[in-house]
């Protein structure tokens, strides 16, 4: 199997993370350069400097896993919430209060204030636990060191021991995490308030949020990076020059990391890209396509929605009709998918297929209104269409197979779907048996606990699961706690991701 280097891919992933957090392009890349140089100024060996660089680029690997809750709790827009509170000292109650005025409008703002000012500690704890769980799970796929994976679970710890999730203090916090916290916060403050003001604010947090030894060498490190800060052009190559080579040989696994990162953003899209990929692959085999064509379709299905990081979860989970600007923001996701993935090169063979998954045969689709697309692009596009229909959304229930079949034939009749491709996808749906025979007590889980996880994966609350299983919500809560313990996680998203990874659901 051919080996490839992931360093460009990880740099591209950081572009998606920037957009998911409402940051300007290359925010993470600039912070990663500072992290590398800060470690170098602290007398660290090159290998550790490189790990600091990578930790920054992947610090938000789990950031979409709490987006649905952020949207619901903090004003309806998870991206705005992340941007407003970026770089904050979470113990500065005055600053927190001031920033709440920027959240939402009307009733949403009032709800957000209550959830931050009154319930903020519990909500923040849940957010951090979820992000840490998912970051460590996804990072293992990228062939990264245990040191980096550990650091990704400590990015909200504080030097004074008042951070989350474990209250680690001082040098008990991984060095990579300490460097990452300082470098990223400085970069955000620098962008918003200028270099000198950012340094002043960092000084105020010395020994509290940040390692005082690292703060001491910060100013000299920044002075060595003047060219980076004065550079108004892309710093892509400057960042890559500091990156180690990260060898891998499984493009599918890497694409799945992109897929899960975006599909975790809404409780209605969990596993969507994987399902599309599976159906497209099966259909490709029925169509007699080559192994290379099928793999390109699989990867295209997994990466096609990465640009959705630019869309707030509030829009994705809206129960009423979208406004024109909201619809436009969704349609722009293909544009951002291209901007994120094109520099990586790893997925270039699949990118064109990915960018065409909303085109239609009659030219009524987007973004390019193409009338002629390949059989591979048609299969992915129709697989995406039927997979979406088969799953519940905020504004509708899921469709049955017979209903989906009728809708597909309607699309054929009206000239939007290629007749052959559509019928092949329907055949793929008919062949695909949705009966999974699971062994009992997988990872120590009982059959009842597995039932609970399935409902958790669909976004049901404890109360709703109780109604489905005819059990009290307290019993469901007990099952959930036991599930977390058995799977070694601290959050709903972590439990669901682990269950999926281990093929429990």
């Amino acid at each position: 199997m051919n080996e490839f280097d992931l360093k460009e891919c990880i740099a591209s992933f950081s572009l998606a993370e920037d957009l998911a957090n409402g940051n300007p392009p290359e925010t993470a890349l600039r912070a990663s350069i500072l992290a590398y140089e800060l470690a170098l100024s602290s007398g660290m060996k090159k290998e550790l400097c490189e790990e600091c660089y990578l930790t920054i680029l992947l610090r938000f690997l789990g950031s979409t896993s709490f987006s649905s809750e952020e949207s619901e709790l903090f004003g309806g827009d998870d991206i705005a919430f992340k941007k407003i509170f970026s770089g904050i000292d979470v113990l500065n109650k005055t600053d927190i209060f001031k920033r709440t005025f920027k959240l939402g409008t009307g009733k949403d703002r009032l709800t957000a204030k209550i959830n931050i000012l009154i319930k903020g500690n519990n909500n923040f704890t849940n957010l951090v636990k979820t992000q840490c769980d998912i970051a460590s799970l996804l990072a293992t796929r990228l062939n990264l060191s245990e040191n980096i994976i550990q650091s990704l679970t400590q990015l909200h710890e504080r030097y004074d021991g008042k951070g989350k999730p474990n209250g680690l203090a001082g040098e008990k916090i991984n060095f990579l995490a300490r460097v990452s916290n300082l470098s990223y916060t400085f970069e955000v403050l620098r962008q918003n308030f200028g270099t000198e003001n950012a340094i002043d604010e960092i000084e105020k947090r010395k020994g509290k949020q940040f390692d005082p030894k690292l703060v001491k060498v910060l100013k000299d490190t920044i002075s060595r990076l003047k060219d980076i800060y004065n550079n108004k052009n892309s710093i892509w190559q400057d960042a890559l020059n500091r990156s180690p080579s990260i060898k891998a040989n499984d493009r599918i696994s890497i694409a799945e990391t992109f897929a899960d990162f975006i599909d975790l953003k809404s409780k209605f899209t969990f596993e969507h890209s994987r399902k599309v990929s599976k159906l497209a692959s099966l259909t490709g085999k029925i169509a007699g396509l080559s192994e290379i064509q099928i793999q390109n379709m699989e990867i295209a299905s997994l990466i096609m929605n990465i640009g959705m990081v630019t869309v707030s979860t509030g829009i994705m989970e809206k129960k009423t009709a979208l406004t024109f600007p909201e619809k436009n923001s969704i349609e722009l996701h293909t544009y951002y998918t291209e901007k994120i993935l094109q520099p990586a090169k790893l997925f270039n063979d699949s990118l064109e297929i990915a960018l065409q998954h909303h085109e239609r045969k009659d030219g009524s689709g987007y973004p390019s209104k193409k009338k002629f697309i390949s059989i591979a692009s048609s299969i992915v596009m129709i697989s995406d269409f039927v997979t979406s229909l088969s799953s519940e959304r905020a504004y509708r229930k899921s469709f049955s197979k017979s209903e989906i079949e009728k809708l597909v034939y309607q699309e054929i009749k009206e000239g939007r779907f290629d007749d052959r491709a559509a019928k092949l996808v329907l055949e793929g749906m008919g062949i695909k048996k949705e009966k999974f025979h699971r062994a009992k007590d997988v990872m120590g889980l009982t059959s009842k606990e597995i039932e609970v996880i399935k409902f958790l994966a669909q976004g049901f609350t404890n109360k709703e699961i109780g109604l489905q299983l005819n059990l009290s919500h307290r019993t469901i809560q007990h099952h959930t706690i036991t599930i977390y313990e058995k799977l070694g996680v601290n959050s709903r998203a972590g439990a669901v991701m682990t269950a999926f990874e281990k093929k429990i659901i």
Side-chain angles (χ1 to χ4, degrees), residues 158-408:
R158 293 169 54 97
Y159 195 80
D160 59 11
K162 297 179 181 179
K164 305 288 182 181
N166 297 313
L168 301 177
E171 296 190 5
K172 288 185 179 180
I173 303 170
N174 189 302
F175 178 77
L176 307 187
R178 280 181 276 145
V179 171
S180 177
N181 287 338
L182 178 57
S183 302
Y184 174 75
T185 304
F186 171 78
E187 177 56 25
V188 170
L189 293 173
R190 184 194 70 81
Q191 289 176 1
N192 291 329
F193 307 110
T195 300
E196 292 306 316
N197 289 330
I199 292 173
D200 290 343
E201 180 60 27
I202 293 294
E203 283 286 344
K204 292 176 185 177
R205 304 186 199 180
K206 181 171 64 176
K208 299 173 184 178
Q209 186 175 352
F210 304 120
D211 182 341
K213 293 178 184 176
L214 291 174
V215 174
K216 188 176 180 179
V217 299
L218 177 65
K219 198 166 185 177
D220 287 339
T221 305
I222 293 168
S223 66
R224 289 196 286 107
L225 296 175
K226 283 183 179 178
D227 290 343
I228 296 295
Y229 293 127
N230 294 331
N231 185 3
K232 295 182 180 179
N233 298 317
S234 172
I235 57 161
W236 177 267
Q237 195 56 51
D238 293 293
L240 289 184
N241 289 342
R242 291 168 171 82
S243 177
S245 291
I246 307 155
K247 300 301 181 182
N249 54 25
D250 184 359
R251 290 201 308 156
I252 296 288
S253 178
I254 306 307
E256 285 174 344
T257 303
F258 278 82
D260 291 339
F261 176 74
I262 183 56
D263 286 350
L264 281 167
K265 187 169 164 61
S266 169
K267 60 188 176 185
F268 295 102
T269 57
F270 180 73
E271 267 192 274
H272 172 79
S273 301
R274 285 178 180 256
K275 289 176 182 176
V276 176
S277 181
K278 190 173 183 179
L279 178 56
S281 174
L282 180 57
T283 304
K285 291 171 185 174
I286 295 170
L289 301 183
S290 68
E291 286 186 17
I292 293 176
Q293 286 177 305
I294 291 170
Q295 186 181 76
N296 285 339
M297 289 194 305
E298 289 177 311
I299 292 173
S301 303
L302 293 166
I303 64 175
M304 64 185 178
N305 282 325
I306 191 65
M308 286 293 285
V309 293
T310 62
V311 182
S312 80
T313 305
I315 292 175
M316 294 173 69
E317 297 184 351
K318 190 175 180 183
K319 295 180 180 179
T320 55
L322 298 178
T323 64
F324 178 78
E326 289 169 343
K327 184 179 179 183
N328 191 49
S329 72
I330 288 178
E331 292 190 356
L332 278 171
H333 81 272
T334 52
Y335 166 82
Y336 287 107
T337 294
E338 183 173 21
K339 293 299 180 185
I340 291 166
L341 293 176
Q342 204 168 44
K345 299 178 184 176
L346 179 62
F347 302 128
N348 277 4
D349 292 341
S350 303
L351 189 54
E352 184 177 2
I353 298 173
L355 297 178
Q356 294 179 358
H357 74 283
H358 284 293
E359 300 289 359
R360 293 295 183 264
K361 185 183 174 184
D362 63 351
S364 63
Y366 67 87
S368 302
K369 299 190 179 299
K370 288 187 176 182
K371 290 187 177 182
F372 302 101
I373 58 177
S374 68
I375 183 68
S377 294
S378 288
I379 287 173
V380 170
M381 176 261 286
I382 299 167
S383 295
D384 176 55
F385 176 82
V386 300
T387 301
S388 295
L389 291 177
S390 67
S391 303
E392 184 179 357
R393 293 292 184 261
Y395 53 90
R396 61 160 173 79
K397 297 291 185 182
S398 60
F399 289 80
S400 67
K401 280 191 175 182
S402 60
E403 290 172 325
I404 292 171
E405 184 178 7
K406 289 178 183 177
L407 289 170
V408 168

Side-chain angles (χ1 to χ4, degrees), residues 83-145:
K83 182 175 177 59
I84 289 167
F85 286 90
S86 183
I88 197 169
D89 177 354
V90 295
L91 298 186
N92 187 336
K93 303 301 181 185
T94 301
D95 193 16
I96 290 173
F97 181 74
K98 288 179 180 178
R99 297 194 191 204
T100 60
F101 285 96
K102 299 178 182 180
L103 286 169
T105 57
K107 185 179 177 182
D108 285 340
R109 179 180 292 172
L110 178 61
T111 301
K113 282 187 177 183
I114 291 171
N115 286 324
I116 289 173
L117 299 176
I118 299 176
K119 305 176 183 177
N121 188 53
N122 286 338
N123 288 329
F124 181 61
T125 300
N126 291 335
L127 182 155
V128 170
K129 283 182 177 179
T130 302
Q131 287 189 359
C132 290
D133 274 344
I134 299 305
S136 60
L137 283 168
L138 296 184
T140 56
R141 299 184 196 161
L142 300 176
N143 206 29
L144 303 176
S145 70

Side-chain angles (χ1 to χ4, degrees), residues 4-55:
F4 49 82
D5 195 337
L6 281 183
K7 67 180 181 180
E8 287 183 331
C9 187
I10 288 177
S12 278
F13 198 94
S14 78
L15 301 179
E17 292 177 305
D18 285 339
L19 292 167
N21 287 277
N23 290 328
E26 298 191 343
T27 293
L29 287 176
R30 291 179 187 278
S32 73
I33 292 173
L34 176 57
Y36 181 101
E37 297 296 332
L38 196 57
L40 195 63
S41 298
S42 300
M44 298 299 141
K45 294 181 179 179
K46 182 182 178 183
E47 290 77 9
L48 197 62
C49 296
E50 291 172 340
E51 287 188 325
C52 287
Y53 164 92
L54 291 173
T55 300

